[in-house]
Amino acid sequence: MEWREQAQAAEKISDWDAAIALVSARAECYSTDFLAHDNHLWHMDLLVHAHRFEQLTELALTDVHARRRLNRSLHERGLDAALRHRAEAGDSSALYHLVKLLCGRDQLQEAHEAVECLDPENECAHQLVADLRTASGGTR
């Protein structure tokens, strides 16, 4: 059985150690080999499925794909405190996810306050709040 089939089989039965080991050995961020880069993205997804958030957080310090996948996962899980913490550390992607999460909960004022508090000069975050406020029909 080819390594990819082995990794897929391990993923299917939630054998995260095996799947991660197989995929990460063939993964390379921003590789000129598109398969190695695809394996890198797969590796990030496997870390989320395995709930290895500490490892993903460590990788996120230097890896944009890990940072994006971590923030998306925190958003999907509704972990606004974790997103806020990452935004406080300067992660603008975390701020955008925090704003989307708060607006999705109809907490428009909290989203606005988060931007004002965490990154008041971030025009994109202000625009995101305004756009989400308009989309929800909210005026709060």
Side-chain angles (χ1 to χ4, degrees), residues 20-116:
I20 289 169
L22 287 163
V23 174
S24 66
R26 292 157 181 88
E28 185 179 337
C29 184
Y30 289 119
S31 175
T32 56
D33 174 359
F34 74 93
L35 291 174
H37 181 71
D38 187 52
N39 292 336
H40 176 68
L41 300 177
W42 185 11
H43 178 218
M44 298 301 104
D45 285 339
L46 288 171
L47 292 174
V48 169
H49 294 305
H51 301 278
R52 295 192 181 172
F53 297 107
E54 286 183 31
Q55 188 176 356
L56 198 57
T57 300
E58 185 176 317
L59 289 170
L61 295 172
T62 58
D63 184 327
V64 67
H65 302 105
R67 186 169 46 254
R68 288 177 186 157
R69 191 60 183 96
L70 175 61
N71 291 336
R72 188 171 82 220
S73 179
L74 294 172
H75 180 177
E76 290 167 353
R77 296 169 157 288
L79 300 175
D80 53 293
L83 286 168
R84 184 179 300 274
H85 178 73
R86 295 187 54 72
E88 287 170 348
D91 185 342
S92 59
S93 171
L95 177 61
Y96 303 144
H97 278 284
L98 176 61
V99 165
K100 290 176 188 176
L101 179 62
L102 293 173
C103 289
R105 293 178 179 164
D106 203 28
Q107 295 176 298
L108 301 169
Q109 184 59 38
E110 291 86 345
H112 174 75
E113 290 170 2
V115 173
E116 283 298 321

